[in-house]
């Protein structure tokens, strides 16, 4: 199996190979910097399942969508 092509862009790591194989797909990972959450969630927490403030998580998710120029209402995430 070939290693993934990982592209760093604006505090995110994107899976370039997946995006090339499936046009329209945006796939990747975020880094933990640049968000609103406080300790122990430390900045860009995107998970609602860990006990962080839902309002901060929503603001973090909106900030990420804005940075990626991706509409918030089209975003799907797993918990």
């Amino acid at each position: 199996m070939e290693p993934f092509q990982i592209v760093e862009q604006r505090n995110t790591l994107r899976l370039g190979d997946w995006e090339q194989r499936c046009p329209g797909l945006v796939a990747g990972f975020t880094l933990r910097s640049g968000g609103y959450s406080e300790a122990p969630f430390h900045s860009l927490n995107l998970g609602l399942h860990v006990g962080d403030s839902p309002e901060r998580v929503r603001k973090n998710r909106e900030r990420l969508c804005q940075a990626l120029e991706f509409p918030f209402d089209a975003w799907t995430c797993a918990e």
Side-chain angles (χ1 to χ4, degrees):
M1 176 177 246
E2 296 179 29
F4 290 112
Q5 172 200 18
I6 298 177
V7 180
E8 185 172 354
Q9 175 187 11
R10 297 185 198 135
N11 287 334
T12 64
L13 302 174
R14 296 176 66 174
L15 300 175
D17 291 339
W18 286 16
E19 292 176 350
Q20 289 175 359
R21 292 180 192 154
C22 302
L25 174 70
V26 177
F29 302 93
T30 59
L31 304 179
R32 302 247 349 214
S33 58
Y36 295 99
S37 297
E38 296 177 359
F41 308 106
H42 298 294
S43 201
L44 192 66
N45 173 47
L46 300 172
L48 290 167
H49 64 285
V50 297
D52 195 358
S53 158
E55 176 65 18
R56 287 190 179 131
V57 172
R58 183 190 60 76
K59 286 174 67 174
N60 288 337
R61 290 178 177 189
E62 288 175 345
R63 177 174 267 187
L64 177 61
C65 286
Q66 183 178 20
L68 296 174
E69 299 176 354
F70 190 81
F72 183 71
D73 61 350
W75 186 29
T76 302
C77 61
E79 295 294 332

